[in-house]
Amino acid sequence: MASRGNGCGKTQIPPFGLRKFSTLAEHPLLNELRAALGQNAVKSGADDMAPYVADWRGRYRGAAVCVVEPCNVQGVSAAVRLVASHGGRVVPQGGNTGLVGGAVPSSEPAAFEVVLSLRRLNRVLDVDALDNVLVVEAGVILKNAQEAARDAGRLFPISLAAEGSAQIGGVVSTNAGGINVLRYGNTRDLVLGLEVVLADGSIWNGLKRLRKDNTGYDLKQLFIGAEGTLGIVTAAAFRLYPLSQAQTTAFLAVPGPHAAIQLLRHLQSEVGDCLSAFELIERACVDLVLESNPATQSPLNSSSPWYVLAEISTPMKGLAIGTMVEESLATAFELGLVTDATLAQNENQRAMLWRIREEISEAERRNGPSVKHDISVPVSRIPDFLAEAPATVLAVACGARPLAFGHVGDGNIHFNVLAPEEASEAISAVVYDLAVKLGGSISAEHGIGLSKVGLLPRYKDELSLSLMRAIRAALDPACMFNPGKLLATGVKEADETLG
Ligand SMILES: Cc1cc2nc3c(=O)[nH]c(=O)nc-3n(C[C@H](O)[C@H](O)[C@H](O)COP(=O)(O)OP(=O)(O)OC[C@H]3O[C@@H](n4cnc5c(N)ncnc54)[C@H](O)[C@@H]3O)c2cc1C
């Protein structure tokens, strides 16, 4: 491919003329943005900008000229054009819950970056139960999108622990996964159409609702998972599903990961795609949640090294799903795949079981620094990964506390290690090497952002990287959008190390 020099090298970025102004606050861009978008749509004071320039985990903190919050797609387009006219760059931001530093501006003093928050594009544009389609603006909070679908008697299946803050634009731009991927697929599988503001400010209207459209390249797919490097997503259309009529949630003790995988296949052959979630959780994660949150309680009296949280649901009325699950689990007990179990009897109990899973990240955060890995391997290799990874980590970081949990039905393990920051490089190197050795990926869900940008060339083949650079150069030749994220754009980013 011809794209080694991708048009994103620092020498090709137009000058922004900062030197003419003694402070950024005096830069004419600020007044131009205020005139175009309204006084309140531009924040430039340090306190006002603070929540936008640091990431959720507090690992990345940058500096922005200002934060702009347009309230419609025309405003986004106008902001992009104005920032471009001064040679600046735009960092799109949704709920800022991303875990790889992708939504925060650069900390380089010479960077001239504007954070563009989609927060105010928060309208549900349509919920069509006949077409089974939900159309929402990018700033709609994921939970609100779910509720809008539910109000119309439909299921919008994307669900993750950050759903109270994550926004649709961020979900699309990270191709978010979550707990229902096993049955409904990733965000990529659910998007029917997108509206996107491009680097020249033009508005691409790909907000179709079609399930079939063979008229050439599927352009929307380029923007899904692009981490804000190709365009700014301003609205999205999603496919919807029938609401569940009945569901059973089970918290199961299993002897180990190998038994968990066999249990997964057993349940799938017994209940088919009624199995919508299958999460593997190591005992140490449950302990951490119980220790750090007194409002939680252990779902089982017995202790086990591993647990599975499984959810089985059906849109079919009258299907005796509870009986089906009980019979399947009885066989699983006989096969030695399950050693103890509890089934939620009502919505409250279901919420309590899910709380254990959903609070793991927060419990980790309260326990000091942790080195997070969001890897995937073929499902059959999960037991190999989990057998080797802890010892491999302890060999390079004595005293570290590995914790494993994840969407194991998708081959996705969050393998996080409580350890001091200094150990992160050595720990990540052995974890990623192991995942890749087993045919896996260094990022199953969270993406590359800033935290893994220097690692991508080590784990992704050169031809794939060249194709990615060619796409970037075609859509955003001046590297306007989210520079330094996903693809290294200069010497500093290319040198970013592990972590
Ligand atoms: C407790 C917790 C649990 C999580 N669980 C999961 C999980 O199970 N599965 C999962 O996949 N992720 C998970 N995440 C990660 C995160 O919530 C998701 O990646 C989410 O999709 C990010 O949405 P956001 O609106 O916060 O995006 P942000 O963090 O604001 O942005 C993420 C990236 O998308 C870009 N971006 C944001 N909005 C736009 C836009 N409109 N147009 C173009 N680019 C844009 C940003 O520049 C950045 O690169 C979790 C995070 C937390 C804190």
Side-chain angles (χ1 to χ4, degrees):
M1 292 300 300
S3 59
R4 291 300 298 274
N6 65 345
C8 288
K10 288 204 166 146
T11 50
Q12 298 186 26
I13 295 162
F16 52 79
L18 173 62
R19 264 163 267 120
K20 282 190 264 166
F21 309 95
S22 56
T23 68
L24 284 176
E26 289 174 29
H27 201 284
L29 173 63
L30 298 187
N31 282 338
E32 291 168 25
L33 286 168
R34 286 194 177 105
L37 306 176
Q39 220 34 32
N40 295 336
V42 182
K43 296 184 160 104
S44 57
D47 289 349
D48 290 344
M49 290 199 290
Y52 300 82
V53 297
D55 75 319
W56 186 81
R57 292 178 64 200
R59 291 181 72 219
Y60 297 97
R61 187 173 299 278
V65 183
C66 62
V67 175
V68 288
E69 300 189 318
C71 64
N72 55 32
V73 62
Q74 289 77 19
V76 175
S77 163
V80 167
R81 284 180 209 270
L82 284 171
V83 177
S85 72
H86 288 276
R89 278 89 167 279
V90 172
V91 179
Q93 188 177 97
N96 200 11
T97 67
L99 296 171
V100 291
V104 291
S106 166
S107 57
E108 268 193 73
F112 188 74
E113 295 185 358
V114 169
V115 173
L116 196 152
S117 164
L118 280 298
R119 193 177 65 85
R120 291 174 68 210
L121 273 78
N122 58 5
R123 283 169 302 171
V124 174
L125 300 175
D126 196 12
V127 194
D128 189 327
L130 209 57
D131 273 341
N132 255 342
V133 167
L134 169 73
V135 188
V136 282
E137 288 188 325
V140 170
I141 288 173
L142 176 54
K143 202 169 182 35
N144 296 346
Q146 295 165 352
E147 278 165 13
R150 198 174 305 121
D151 290 347
R154 288 291 179 271
L155 173 74
F156 176 50
I158 303 172
S159 176
L160 40 95
E163 65 197 23
S165 306
Q167 296 173 10
I168 289 300
V171 166
V172 168
S173 303
T174 57
N175 182 29
I179 56 173
N180 290 324
V181 173
L182 186 62
R183 178 149 156 202
Y184 300 99
N186 284 309
T187 298
R188 192 180 289 291
D189 303 302
L190 296 165
V191 173
L192 294 172
L194 291 181
E195 178 188 74
V196 182
V197 170
L198 303 176
D200 64 356
S202 56
I203 301 169
W204 177 63
N205 184 354
L207 207 53
K208 298 233 167 91
R209 300 156 174 229
L210 301 176
R211 279 140 211 275
K212 288 188 163 183
D213 179 11
N214 271 351
T215 54
Y217 307 138
D218 191 353
L219 296 175
K220 67 177 179 296
Q221 291 295 346
L222 284 178
F223 301 99
I224 303 171
E227 301 188 27
T229 60
L230 299 180
I232 299 183
V233 175
T234 49
F238 294 94
R239 58 176 85 227
L240 297 177
Y241 286 86
L243 275 176
S244 294
Q245 297 298 330
Q247 69 190 7
T248 298
T249 306
F251 200 88
L252 310 165
V254 296
H258 187 65
I261 304 303
Q262 288 179 302
L263 177 65
L264 168 70
R265 297 307 176 216
H266 167 72
L267 286 177
Q268 281 177 322
S269 39
E270 296 274 310
V271 302
D273 71 0
C274 288
L275 183 65
S276 52
F278 192 89
E279 303 283 306
L280 181 66
I281 310 171
E282 193 178 11
R283 171 82 216 178
C285 300
V286 177
D287 289 343
L288 203 67
V289 172
L290 298 178
E291 278 160 30
S292 61
N293 185 347
T296 54
Q297 59 190 62
S298 180
L300 297 169
N301 292 329
S302 63
S303 181
S304 169
W306 292 91
Y307 300 98
V308 162
L309 179 58
E311 193 148 273
I312 299 99
S313 59
T314 177
M316 286 167 67
K317 284 194 172 131
L319 191 70
I321 199 152
T323 314
M324 274 169 65
V325 172
E326 280 168 24
E327 286 171 3
S328 319
L329 288 179
T331 321
F333 268 102
E334 281 164 24
L335 293 169
L337 303 179
V338 173
T339 56
D340 198 2
T342 183
L343 303 185
Q345 302 302 322
N346 52 45
E347 190 49 40
N348 252 357
Q349 288 181 6
R350 174 180 180 263
M352 279 174 69
L353 296 183
W354 273 108
R355 197 164 175 189
I356 300 284
R357 165 65 182 84
E358 284 166 358
E359 291 217 353
I360 298 172
S361 300
E362 189 54 39
E364 281 176 358
R365 193 154 81 144
R366 289 199 208 121
N367 273 270
S370 73
V371 193
K372 293 194 186 286
H373 309 96
D374 151 50
I375 63 97
S376 64
V377 291
V379 174
S380 62
R381 307 308 303 270
I382 283 174
D384 299 332
F385 178 84
L386 291 173
E388 269 190 62
T392 317
V393 163
L394 291 176
V396 296
C398 178
R401 283 175 70 193
L403 299 166
F405 62 99
H407 318 298
V408 78
D410 318 317
N412 178 191
I413 298 286
H414 298 306
F415 187 77
N416 299 339
V417 184
L418 299 183
E421 190 72 33
E422 316 81 80
S424 66
E425 189 172 331
I427 293 173
S428 294
V430 295
V431 171
Y432 291 140
D433 285 354
L434 177 61
V436 171
K437 186 182 89 179
L438 296 172
S441 163
I442 63 167
S443 178
E445 284 197 328
H446 300 157
I448 299 302
L450 207 50
S451 71
K452 298 193 201 93
V453 73
L455 289 177
L456 207 56
R458 182 158 140 196
Y459 294 110
K460 200 157 180 111
D461 67 283
E462 183 47 40
L463 184 55
S464 300
L465 286 171
S466 295
L467 287 164
M468 284 168 62
R469 290 189 202 108
I471 292 167
R472 168 81 149 149
L475 286 177
D476 181 12
C479 232
M480 259 275 289
F481 290 143
N482 229 0
K485 320 286 171 44
L486 183 58
L487 285 170
T489 55
V491 177
K492 181 168 185 293
E493 290 85 0
D495 284 343
E496 274 266 345
T497 48
L498 300 147

